[in-house]
Amino acid sequence: GESDDYNSQMLMLAGSIPFTIEKIGEFTLSGQAYVGENLGRVQAGCGQSVSFYNFGVNQKGEEILTSGGFVDLAYKLNDTWSFAIGYGFDNPQVKDGTVVSDNDGGVNGDFIDFNDRLYLDAFYKISSNFKLGVEYARLSTKYAQTGDAIANRFQFSAFYDF
């Protein structure tokens, strides 16, 4: 089936709560939870949109149900330094023995069973509109056939607000 033959549906709850702990500093707790179908191009979805149970026999597949979310705790130490720690995951519900359509319409016999990310950030504010950041992230993906893949990533960034 063509990608236009399938629907995308999602329910999402998100929020953010700022709070202060006296003598420690300002915090913000943010989070998001979602559930939906055919979210490969919409929200997370691990790039998986549609699954086929009898590929080649039945060309009409099913939208993949997925759920996930994240939680993030940000801490503002002072006007110059801020930090964040967070965790997010995506949990597509794909039945064993299927092939999965990716976002580009290709099919693959291996598929993602679970995806998650743990990260730690530090930001240094140089001026009112320029900030530098560094992040460490541990990413893991569980594939149905090929097993687990784990990556450790360091990333540097620069932000300039106009």
Side-chain angles (χ1 to χ4, degrees):
E2 297 295 321
S3 62
D4 292 345
D5 295 341
Y6 303 99
N7 294 314
S8 292
Q9 301 175 35
M10 180 173 56
L11 173 64
M12 179 190 308
L13 299 172
S16 184
I17 302 169
F19 61 96
T20 301
I21 298 177
E22 193 172 330
K23 297 183 183 180
I24 295 177
E26 298 174 21
F27 293 84
T28 303
L29 181 63
S30 301
Q32 177 186 94
Y34 64 89
V35 63
E37 295 179 326
N38 191 16
L39 301 182
R41 291 183 186 260
V42 181
Q43 170 75 18
C46 298
Q48 299 177 152
S49 298
V50 177
S51 62
F52 297 91
Y53 300 107
N54 295 309
F55 188 69
V57 176
N58 178 6
Q59 294 298 315
K60 176 69 172 157
E62 282 187 22
E63 294 89 349
I64 295 173
L65 175 67
T66 189
S67 60
F70 75 87
V71 63
D72 178 274
L73 179 64
Y75 169 58
K76 183 178 177 185
L77 176 65
N78 54 39
D79 288 338
T80 306
W81 284 100
S82 60
F83 304 91
I85 186 168
Y87 175 78
F89 73 96
D90 184 50
N91 189 19
Q93 305 298 309
V94 181
K95 296 177 185 173
D96 289 340
T98 65
V99 293
V100 173
S101 171
D102 61 23
N103 287 338
D104 297 320
V107 290
N108 186 346
D110 201 3
F111 56 85
I112 296 172
D113 259 347
F114 190 79
N115 215 18
D116 72 347
R117 177 176 185 260
L118 177 66
Y119 60 91
L120 184 62
D121 298 326
F123 301 100
Y124 181 74
K125 188 175 182 181
I126 294 175
S127 69
S128 63
N129 57 348
F130 187 61
K131 181 169 45 171
L132 297 176
V134 61
E135 176 179 270
Y136 164 74
R138 182 184 183 278
L139 303 105
S140 65
T141 300
K142 180 182 176 187
Y143 291 93
Q145 294 177 6
T146 55
D148 296 347
I150 296 174
N152 293 292
R153 180 179 74 187
F154 285 95
Q155 179 172 293
F156 298 92
S157 55
F159 303 87
Y160 185 82
D161 293 326
F162 292 92

